[in-house]
Every structure is written in C-alpha cells, then in structure tokens.
Amino acid sequence: MSEIEVIFYIEALGNDKKVLERALEETAKNLKDEKGVKIKYINVEDVLKNEDEDFLKYSGVIEAQFSGDLGNIVRLTLKYSPAVVEVLGPGKVEVESKTLMKILGEVSLFMGKLMQKFGGLAVYPKLDDLPEPRIDYSREEIEELIVEDRNILYRFVIEVFGESEEAIKTTMAKALTIEGCRINKLAVQGQEEDSQFKGLLAAELLSSFESLMQLTAKYAPVAISVLEPEIIDITANELQNVLTDLAGFVNELVTRPIKRQIMEKKNTEFKLSP
C-alpha cells in the first residue's frame, strides 16, 4: 500500500497557560514516538491568550507532517483528532477490501467506546415526510454503480431499538438514504423488551468510500464486510474529507462535557443578571 503524506493541525484549549503548554509538549512527544509512521517535522506553536474568552481562554496548535499507510493514518486521526487534516499525496491510493474491512473494524471499535461514554452521533431531521427509498437493485445496476460511480458494495449490522420492527425498518431506510446509501437489502430481527423492540438491523448497501466511513463512525456496527470491489481506489481529496470528518466526530464527542459546562456557566450568568 502507498505511503500517504499528511499534515495534522492539532488544536488545544485550556484555562491555565502552563498546563496547556505541558499538554502540547506531551502530545508532540507522543506523536514523535508513534510507531508505523515516518515523522518529517513537529512544530509546537506558542500558546495564545484570547482576551474575549473567560472560559478556555488559552489556545495552542501543533503542526505535524508525517507519512504512513492508510491504517496508521486513520488510527492517528482518531487518536489525536486534529482540527484540520491536509493530505499532501499521493493523488490516489488503492486499498484491498480485506485491508479496508480491518480499518473499518478499528474505526467502529474506537467510536463505539466513545459513544458508550458520551452518547450517539446519528441525528437526523424529521423523517416522516420523506418518501420511502427504493430497496433492491439488479445485478446490472450494482455493477454499473461500482464501475461507473465508484461505489462500494458492503454489508453491515447494527444494534437497534424503537417502537416496532416495522418502524425501525422504515426509519433506518430513510436515514441510510440521507447518509448517501443505496439499499440493496434490509432486514430487522429482534424482540419486544419492556414495551420496546430491540434487535439487530442488517443491510446490504452501496455508497461512496466517504459515506461508508462516515456511516461506520456514526453507527459503530457490530459487523461489517466489504463485498465489492476487491480493490478500492481513494483520491487524496476523498481521503482528506474522510479524515477531517473522523476527527470532527471524535472532537464532537469528547468536548461534550466541556460544552455542557460552558452552557451551564452562561445560563447561570444569565439568571444572575439584573
């Protein structure tokens, strides 16, 4: 697999300048010691103070350029959740389906642990008014979507709960369509528990590489398999979008407690205002 050259811009915020400086230096050291990648440079910028902020008033940035295979680049994106990821090259990489499945499994495991701690990611607008999407495609249509539109055919299984089996199936079909997927097969199995249906949803889907990675990060499937094609080509722009999305998802989850504190502080100030 090709070596991928990237630049991470890792942003950190804090209330104490000295503590933040130590945290940035520690992060830079950890990056330097990472296995499986070749570090070109790591720059730790000076910590700056934002006079307009009372909470998290100090900020700092680490800029790091390094190269590695797709698996290690994705791993470090999840671990360090950079604010910006820039893919310098190559213009396109090719990855075997079995390698991609391993990476998807690691993304699912990592995101699943975060969501157990901080809550879910999959949030949609009201779906009632959306038409029910098409399910089932012919072999000819599937081949055209794979060859002409560079779609990936894959299966994934997620845990679901809701009012009923049919309601879950209808809602998830619409949600998957919003995520940019075409649905070839969709099935739900489970049982009623405490007046609520709980079970598993299995889907066979066609989508772009970007949608596949986003879906994996948002739902943390318990099982996923890439069926076709055997070799997936990924452009630098697609990879950059995916890495930025993954980092954004991680940041959204891990910063929820801090955002909650900020909102509580603002609400308290509002209530105390004359």
Side-chain angles (χ1 to χ4, degrees), residues 2-233:
S2 301
E3 289 271 298
I4 300 166
E5 190 91 12
V6 299
I7 298 178
F8 277 11
Y9 299 91
I10 304 168
E11 184 179 23
L13 303 171
N15 286 320
D16 187 297
K17 183 179 180 180
K18 293 296 183 183
V19 171
L20 185 58
E21 286 174 340
R22 287 196 295 271
L24 288 167
E25 291 294 341
E26 183 68 22
T27 300
K29 180 181 181 301
N30 291 339
L31 259 173
K32 185 177 181 180
D33 293 339
E34 288 288 352
K35 307 297 183 184
V37 294
K38 299 173 184 175
I39 303 295
K40 186 169 184 179
Y41 68 79
I42 299 175
N43 292 333
V44 181
E45 298 183 5
D46 293 337
V47 169
L48 302 176
K49 183 178 182 181
N50 187 346
E51 299 292 348
D52 297 328
E53 286 289 338
D54 295 326
F55 199 80
L56 303 178
K57 55 189 174 183
Y58 293 99
S59 64
V61 174
I62 295 172
E63 179 183 338
Q65 182 175 337
F66 57 93
S67 62
D69 62 24
L70 180 61
N72 279 308
I73 296 297
V74 170
R75 176 179 63 83
L76 295 190
T77 299
L78 294 170
K79 183 175 180 179
Y80 293 98
S81 59
V84 177
V85 180
E86 185 178 352
V87 176
L88 303 178
K92 184 175 73 172
V93 296
E94 293 183 342
V95 57
E96 294 183 359
S97 58
K98 62 181 181 181
T99 301
L100 181 57
M101 278 193 288
K102 181 181 178 182
I103 294 170
L104 291 169
E106 292 170 352
V107 171
S108 178
L109 180 62
F110 186 94
M111 296 302 297
K113 289 179 179 179
L114 284 185
M115 286 187 278
Q116 285 180 355
K117 186 174 182 179
F118 299 110
L121 274 171
V123 179
Y124 303 100
K126 192 173 178 63
L127 300 174
D128 295 349
D129 297 333
L130 293 179
E132 292 195 22
R134 174 185 172 184
I135 298 177
D136 191 20
Y137 288 78
S138 69
R139 182 60 205 172
E140 291 76 14
E141 289 174 314
I142 291 173
E143 288 180 355
E144 183 177 349
L145 287 166
I146 292 173
V147 175
E148 300 297 330
D149 295 342
R150 300 175 58 244
N151 272 206
I152 301 169
L153 178 66
Y154 55 96
R155 292 176 183 152
F156 90 141
V157 180
I158 59 172
E159 295 178 333
V160 290
F161 60 90
E163 294 179 3
S164 66
E165 179 180 339
E166 194 58 38
I168 290 172
K169 189 173 181 180
T170 299
T171 299
M172 284 304 304
K174 294 179 180 180
L176 291 170
T177 302
I178 289 177
E179 293 288 354
C181 301
R182 289 181 172 87
I183 306 168
N184 192 41
K185 298 176 184 178
L186 190 68
V188 177
Q189 289 186 342
Q191 59 187 1
E192 290 276 346
E193 292 183 20
D194 301 324
S195 301
Q196 189 176 55
F197 184 88
K198 297 181 180 180
L200 296 173
L201 178 141
E204 186 172 289
L205 307 170
L206 287 139
S207 78
S208 66
F209 168 71
E210 292 179 61
S211 292
L212 167 57
M213 293 293 287
Q214 290 169 350
L215 202 65
T216 302
K218 286 183 178 180
Y219 283 97
V222 296
I224 189 163
S225 59
V226 177
L227 305 178
E228 297 181 62
E230 291 186 6
I231 302 294
I232 295 94
D233 64 275

Side-chain angles (χ1 to χ4, degrees), residues 257-269:
I258 297 173
K259 291 176 181 176
R260 193 176 298 117
Q261 289 179 36
I262 294 173
M263 289 304 300
E264 290 173 353
K265 184 176 185 294
K266 289 183 177 179
N267 289 337
T268 302
E269 290 174 350

